[in-house]
C-alpha cells in the first residue's frame, strides 16, 4: 500500500510536467511534501445540482448512507427549505441552523475523502448556489426522468459551463413512468448544450423497470425496490447474446437490451475521460435514489473519474493545489442563528498548501493578518475543530465581520482569486429606514448582510439612496427580518421598476461621460464603487446598447476592464 501510494505520488508529480520537480531543493521549497500531495489526491469536492424535487436531497443522503457517514435516511433536511412557502421565512430561519452543518458534508469512501457542497434548491437562493459552484471541482446533475430538463437545471448548467465544470448526469426516479431514455438524452444534449455518453442503460421503466445494465463493466444490476437498506443483486453478463439473460429478465426485455446496447455502441463514441474533465462530455447513469438503486455504480465511477482538487486562477497567475504555501477563498458566509452572538461562519475552500490551525494568514483585501483558533470541518452532520486541512477541503472560519464573499487568504502573497462573481440581480427595491434612531445599526446591518451575499447593495446619488438588488423576493423578507432581529433596525422597501442591472465600462472616456450624464437616473454604484446601469426591461437594455455601442455592458461583476 505504502509503495503504491509513493508510486501514485511520483506519477502525479511527473504528470505535472515540470522538470524542476525532479530537483529536490526546488521541490521541497515550493511544493508540498509527498504525503500532502497524496492527501490532496484523495480529495473529491463536488456539488449535486438539480431542479427542486428531482431528488438532490435524496441522492445526497444515499451517498452519505453508502459512505457509512449516516445510518438512517432522513438526516439531510436542509433542502426542505425549498418546500417553505414564500412568506414562511421563519421556517427558513429555523432551517438555517441545520444548513450550517449541511452546507458541507464530508465523508470517507473507499480511501477517498469526499466533500459534497450543498446548494440550496429554492430558486430565490440561486445566487448562493452559483457561488457554491465556484468552490467545487465537479458536479452531479440530477434529472427527473418524468420531467426531464427543467428551468433551474438550465440555469445551473449555464454556470457550470462558464467554468467548464465536469458534469456527471444521474437520471432519477426510474421506478416511475418516465420519458424514453433516448428522448431524455437528446433533450439533455440539446437543452443543456453538452454531449452525453450513457455508462449504464435502463431495462424498462416505471412498473416495468427491471434494472440497469452497466455497459462498461458488463454487469446487470437487478432492481429491487428498497428504501431502507442497500440491497444489490449484480450479475456479470459477459455476452449479452447468451440465453442466460433471457432467463433472468425475460426474452422480450433481453432482446430490447441487446438492441439498445448495440445502438448505443454504434451511435456514441467510447467514453473519454479527458472530454469529461474538459466539461464537454457528460457520462450518464440511470437509477432510483429513493430505492438506493444505481447509487453504487455512480459513486464508484465518480471516485475513479471525477477530478482531484483543481487549480484556481488569480488576477496574475494560476495557483496549483500542490504548491506548498496555503491559499484559499471565501465562497459562502453563514450568519449565526443566535442573535446574541454576532459571529458568522465563513466557508473557505482551500486551493493550495496545507491549512493549519492557529497559524497567521494574510487577508489580502484588508491587508491584515488573521489567526483562526477554531477552524471547523464538517463531516456528514457533525462539526469538529480541525488542526489541518488540504486543497479541496472546506473549513469553517469563525468571523466577526472581516470577510466578504470572494475574499482571498494566503501566506503573504498579495493575490486575489477570480471566478467568484456577483450575478446581475433582477428585483430592485429602495431601502428605507423606519427608525431614525437606529440609522447606524441599519447601515452596519445592511453592509454585513450584503457581505454575506444575501443581496447586492447599490448606492445612487444624489441623496445616498440605498438600492437592494436580489434574484428572488424571499431575500427581502429575510433582510427585513434579520435587520430587526440581529441589528434592532426597522426598514421598509419601495419597489423599483427595473428588471436588470449590469456593470458598464468603456475605453472611450468622452462617451462614458456622455452616458453618465444622459442615463444618470438609471445609474448607481455597487459596493466596490463600480458603476452599474439599471434597465427597466430587457428591451430597454437592448435599446440602450444600440444607442451606445461604445459602452460595454457586463452581466456579472467579473469582467476584463
Ligand atoms: P430535491 O432535493 O431535488 O428537491 O428532491 P428530494 O430529494 O427532496 O426529492 C423530491 C421528492 O422525490 C421526494 O418526495 C423524494 O422522496 C422523491 N424521490 C427521490 N428519489 C426518488 C426516486 O428514485 N423515485 C421516486 N418515485 N421518488 C423519488 P416527497 O414526497 O416530496 O418527499 P418525502 O416525503 O418523500 O421526503
Amino acid at each position: 500500500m505504502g509503495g503504491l501510494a509513493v508510486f501514485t505520488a511520483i506519477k502525479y508529480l511527473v504528470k505535472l510536467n515540470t522538470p524542476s520537480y525532479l530537483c529536490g531543493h526546488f521541490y521541497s521549497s515550493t511544493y508540498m511534501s509527498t504525503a500532502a500531495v497524496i492527501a490532496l489526491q484523495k480529495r473529491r469536492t463536488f456539488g449535486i445540482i438539480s431542479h427542486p424535487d428531482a431528488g438532490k436531497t435524496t441522492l445526497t443522503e444515499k451517498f452519505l448512507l453508502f459512505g457509512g457517514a449516516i445510518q438512517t435516511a432522513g438526516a439531510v433536511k436542509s433542502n426542505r427549505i425549498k418546500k417553505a412557502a414564500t412568506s414562511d421565512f421563519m421556517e427558513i430561519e429555523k432551517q438555517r441552523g441545520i444548513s450550517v452543518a449541511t452546507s458541507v458534508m464530508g465523508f470517507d469512501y473507499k480511501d477517498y475523502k469526499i466533500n459534497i457542497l450543498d446548494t440550496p434548491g429554492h430558486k430565490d437562493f440561486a445566487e448562493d448556489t452559483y457561488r457554491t459552484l465556484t468552490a467545487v471541482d465537479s458536479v452531479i446533475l440530477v434529472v427527473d426522468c418524468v420531467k426531464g430538463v427543467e428551468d433551474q437545471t438550465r440555469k445551473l448548467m449555464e454556470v457550470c459551463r462558464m467554468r467548464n465544470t465536469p458534469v456527471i448526469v444521474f437520471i432519477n426516479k426510474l421506478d416511475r413512468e418516465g420519458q424514453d431514455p433516448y428522448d431524455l438524452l437528446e433533450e439533455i444534449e440539446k437543452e443543456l448544450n453538452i454531449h452525453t455518453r450513457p455508462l449504464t442503460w435502463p431495462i424498462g421503466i416505471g412498473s416495468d423497470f427491471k434494472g440497469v445494465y452497466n455497459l462498461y463493466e458488463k454487469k446487470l444490476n437487478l432492481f429491487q425496490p428498497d428504501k431502507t437498506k442497500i440491497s444489490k443483486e449484480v450479475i456479470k453478463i459477459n455476452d449479452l447474446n447468451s440465453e442466460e439473460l433471457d432467463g433472468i429478465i425475460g426474452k422480450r426485455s433481453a432482446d430490447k437490451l441487446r438492441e439498445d446496447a448495440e445502438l448505443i455502441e454504434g451511435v456514441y463514441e467510447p467514453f473519454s475521460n479527458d472530454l469529461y474533465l474538459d466539461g464537454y462530455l457528460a457520462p450518464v447513469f440511470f437509477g432510483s435514489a429513493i430505492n438506493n438503486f444505481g447509487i453504487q455504480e455512480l459513486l464508484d465511477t465518480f471516485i475513479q473519474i471525477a477530478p482531484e482538487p483543481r487549480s484556481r486562477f488569480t488576477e496574475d497567475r494560476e495557483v496549483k493545489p500542490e504548491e506548498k504555501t496555503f491559499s484559499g477563498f471565501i465562497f459562502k458566509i453563514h450568519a449565526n442563528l443566535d442573535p446574541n452572538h454576532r459571529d458568522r461562519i465563513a466557508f473557505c475552500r482551500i486551493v493550495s498548501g496545507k491549512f493549519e490551525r492557529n497559524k497567521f494568514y494574510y487577508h489580502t483585501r484588508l491587508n491584515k493578518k488573521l489567526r483562526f483558533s477554531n477552524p471547523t470541518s464538517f463531516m456528514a452532520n457533525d462539526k469538529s475543530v480541525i488542526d489541518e486541512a488540504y486543497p479541496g477541503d472546506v473549513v469553517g472560519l469563525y468571523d466577526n465581520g472581516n470577510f466578504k464573499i470572494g475574499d482571498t487568504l494566503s501566506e503573504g502573497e498579495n493575490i486575489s482569486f477570480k471566478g467568484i462573481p456577483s450575478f446581475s440581480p433582477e428585483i430592485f427595491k429602495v431601502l428605507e429606514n423606519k427608525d431614525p434612531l437606529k440609522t447606524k445599526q441599519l447601515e452596519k446591518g445592511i453592509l454585513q448582510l450584503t457581505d454575506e451575499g444575501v443581496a447586492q447593495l447599490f448606492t445612487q446619488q444624489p441623496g445616498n439612496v440605498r438600492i437592494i438588488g436580489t434574484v428572488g423576493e424571499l431575500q427581502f423578507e429575510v433582510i427585513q427580518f434579520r435587520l430587526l432581529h440581529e441589528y434592532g433596525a426597522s426598514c421598509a422597501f419601495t419597489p423599483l421598476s427595473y428588471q436588470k442591472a449590469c456593470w458598464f465600462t468603456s475605453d472611450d472616456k468622452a462617451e462614458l461621460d456622455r452616458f453618465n450624464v444622459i442615463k444618470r437616473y438609471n445609474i448607481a454604484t455597487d459596493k466596490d464603487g463600480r458603476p452599474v446601469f439599471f434597465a427597466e426591461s430587457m428591451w430597454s437594455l437592448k435599446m440602450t446598447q444600440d444607442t451606445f455601442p461604445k459602452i460595454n455592458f457586463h452581466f456579472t461583476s467579473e469582467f476584463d476592464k
Side-chain angles (χ1 to χ4, degrees):
M1 187 61 209
L4 178 66
V6 170
F7 171 74
T8 325
I10 291 169
K11 205 172 78 182
Y12 182 76
L13 295 176
V14 170
K15 199 171 82 185
L16 292 168
N17 205 15
T18 312
S20 31
Y21 276 113
L22 303 175
C23 161
H25 170 71
F26 182 83
Y27 169 61
S28 63
S29 63
T30 315
Y31 290 90
M32 290 169 138
S33 67
T34 309
V37 170
I38 292 169
L40 92 84
Q41 277 187 293
K42 292 286 175 193
R43 261 90 179 147
R44 295 288 181 274
T45 302
F46 77 109
I48 304 183
I49 55 173
S50 75
H51 189 89
D53 272 346
K56 181 174 77 72
T57 315
T58 313
L59 184 63
T60 306
E61 192 163 83
K62 297 307 161 105
F63 277 167
L64 298 182
L65 265 177
F66 274 72
I70 55 169
Q71 307 314 321
T72 49
V76 184
K77 283 289 181 202
S78 73
N79 261 29
R80 297 296 178 253
I81 287 178
K82 71 186 171 31
K83 305 215 160 131
T86 308
S87 60
D88 196 1
F89 58 86
M90 275 305 291
E91 186 56 23
I92 288 167
E93 280 298 297
K94 265 191 267 151
Q95 296 286 358
R96 283 202 309 130
I98 301 162
S99 64
V100 172
T102 53
S103 286
V104 185
M105 286 160 285
F107 67 98
D108 295 318
Y109 183 73
K110 294 191 176 170
D111 216 18
Y112 286 84
K113 162 114 197 278
I114 299 184
N115 297 309
I116 307 183
L117 306 197
D118 190 32
T119 54
H122 198 296
K123 71 168 177 36
D124 286 8
F125 291 98
E127 177 127 15
D128 199 18
T129 299
Y130 301 156
R131 280 189 304 252
T132 299
L133 291 179
T134 64
V136 303
D137 298 307
S138 69
V139 302
I140 293 182
L141 169 69
V142 185
V143 174
D144 181 332
C145 75
V146 182
K147 297 187 176 146
V149 172
E150 297 172 83
D151 234 25
Q152 275 298 94
T153 331
R154 255 177 236 113
K155 290 202 183 120
L156 290 163
M157 270 299 289
E158 271 168 33
V159 178
C160 292
R161 300 210 58 84
M162 276 168 65
R163 42 183 85 80
N164 298 331
T165 310
V167 179
I168 296 179
V169 175
F170 181 70
I171 300 188
N172 191 26
K173 306 197 187 181
L174 268 276
D175 58 317
R176 296 180 57 189
E177 306 297 331
Q179 300 176 34
D180 177 79
Y182 293 110
D183 292 347
L184 279 166
L185 293 185
E186 199 184 321
E187 186 179 328
I188 291 169
E189 294 216 339
K190 220 159 77 193
E191 301 249 344
L192 303 181
N193 189 21
I194 189 160
H195 292 268
T196 59
R197 197 336 165 167
L199 294 190
T200 63
W201 193 253
I203 305 162
I205 198 159
S207 54
D208 191 32
F209 180 50
K210 295 206 167 62
V212 292
Y213 180 67
N214 190 321
L215 295 157
Y216 264 67
E217 291 179 3
K218 303 199 181 310
K219 282 181 188 158
L220 189 64
N221 190 355
L222 293 178
F223 177 60
Q224 298 160 322
D226 194 332
K227 295 186 181 159
T228 51
K229 63 177 199 292
I230 302 164
S231 61
K232 265 176 71 93
E233 193 181 334
V234 180
I235 303 164
K236 182 94 181 148
I237 304 277
N238 282 321
D239 181 5
L240 273 185
N241 291 319
S242 76
E243 279 184 13
E244 187 195 357
L245 186 65
D246 302 48
I248 302 168
I249 55 174
K251 173 119 180 65
R252 199 173 53 89
S253 298
D255 283 344
K256 175 84 172 80
L257 178 61
R258 289 177 187 121
E259 199 183 293
D260 285 341
E262 200 183 321
L263 190 65
I264 291 161
E265 297 312 326
V267 169
Y268 291 94
E269 295 285 317
F271 174 68
S272 152
N273 211 28
D274 287 342
L275 292 182
Y276 156 70
L277 291 175
D278 289 344
Y280 177 83
L281 179 74
V284 180
F285 291 81
F286 293 84
S288 168
I290 195 90
N291 289 300
N292 299 315
F293 192 78
I295 314 281
Q296 185 105 44
E297 289 83 355
L298 176 62
L299 200 50
D300 286 344
T301 312
F302 170 80
I303 54 170
Q304 276 176 38
I305 67 170
E308 296 163 10
R310 300 182 122 184
S311 298
R312 294 287 190 281
F313 289 85
T314 70
E315 276 162 19
D316 308 312
R317 72 181 188 91
E318 176 182 358
V319 178
K320 292 184 174 171
E322 62 281 356
E323 289 181 21
K324 193 172 181 182
T325 51
F326 159 79
S327 67
F329 63 87
I330 307 296
F331 65 94
K332 185 183 179 92
I333 295 177
H334 221 293
N336 197 319
L337 200 60
D338 180 353
N340 298 322
H341 296 276
R342 191 60 64 71
D343 59 353
R344 312 182 287 183
I345 297 180
F347 290 85
C348 176
R349 149 89 198 215
I350 297 174
V351 176
S352 67
K354 184 163 88 173
F355 173 90
E356 288 172 80
R357 178 181 172 193
N358 277 327
K359 195 167 166 178
F360 276 101
Y361 290 118
Y362 178 53
H363 185 313
T364 62
R365 180 177 57 89
L366 297 183
N367 188 14
K368 184 170 164 178
K369 284 195 165 169
L370 298 174
R371 196 164 63 132
F372 306 96
S373 52
N374 292 309
T376 306
S377 89
F378 305 86
M379 287 295 281
N381 284 343
D382 293 329
K383 288 196 293 187
S384 57
V385 173
I386 44 120
D387 289 319
E388 56 185 45
Y390 293 91
D393 285 343
V394 171
V395 286
L397 306 174
Y398 286 92
D399 168 47
N400 44 23
N402 283 313
F403 286 121
K404 73 181 196 181
I405 305 251
D407 279 346
T408 297
L409 283 174
S410 77
E411 275 190 45
E413 192 185 0
N414 192 7
I415 47 174
S416 178
F417 283 105
K418 291 202 324 183
I420 314 129
S422 298
F423 291 84
S424 168
E426 285 161 22
I427 306 176
F428 302 88
K429 295 185 185 186
V430 173
L431 175 74
E432 284 168 25
N433 185 2
K434 297 300 269 180
D435 182 354
L437 294 176
K438 295 283 169 64
T439 304
K440 267 192 177 159
Q441 284 86 337
L442 183 82
E443 185 68 10
K444 183 172 178 191
I446 200 65
L447 287 176
Q448 288 203 348
L449 292 185
T450 47
D451 276 354
E452 274 178 37
V454 176
Q456 289 180 54
L457 178 66
F458 304 98
T459 308
Q460 197 170 39
Q461 304 300 350
N464 230 17
V465 179
R466 298 300 214 180
I467 296 174
I468 309 288
T470 70
V471 286
E473 277 292 341
L474 206 49
Q475 265 91 340
F476 291 101
E477 293 186 49
V478 172
I479 290 170
Q480 202 169 34
F481 178 84
R482 289 189 56 193
L483 282 176
L484 188 63
H485 287 82
E486 292 170 33
Y487 300 88
S490 340
C491 73
F493 296 106
T494 311
L496 293 167
S497 59
Y498 306 128
Q499 280 183 9
K500 203 81 194 158
C502 27
W503 290 263
F504 63 90
T505 51
S506 178
D507 294 333
D508 187 330
K509 168 101 178 44
E511 185 66 357
L512 200 57
D513 290 344
R514 195 171 79 88
F515 184 75
N516 273 317
V517 170
I518 294 175
K519 292 289 178 188
R520 61 188 173 281
Y521 299 116
N522 287 56
I523 290 173
T525 49
D526 73 4
K527 255 177 125 172
D528 298 321
R530 294 176 309 174
V532 174
F533 171 73
F534 295 123
E536 276 83 9
S537 63
M538 288 312 282
W539 182 80
S540 71
L541 177 62
K542 170 94 186 44
M543 289 282 290
T544 311
Q545 283 171 315
D546 290 348
T547 318
F548 296 92
K550 288 184 176 161
I551 305 286
N552 305 313
F553 296 87
H554 313 275
F555 292 93
T556 75
S557 63
E558 231 169 49
F559 43 82
D560 295 327
K561 277 127 205 157

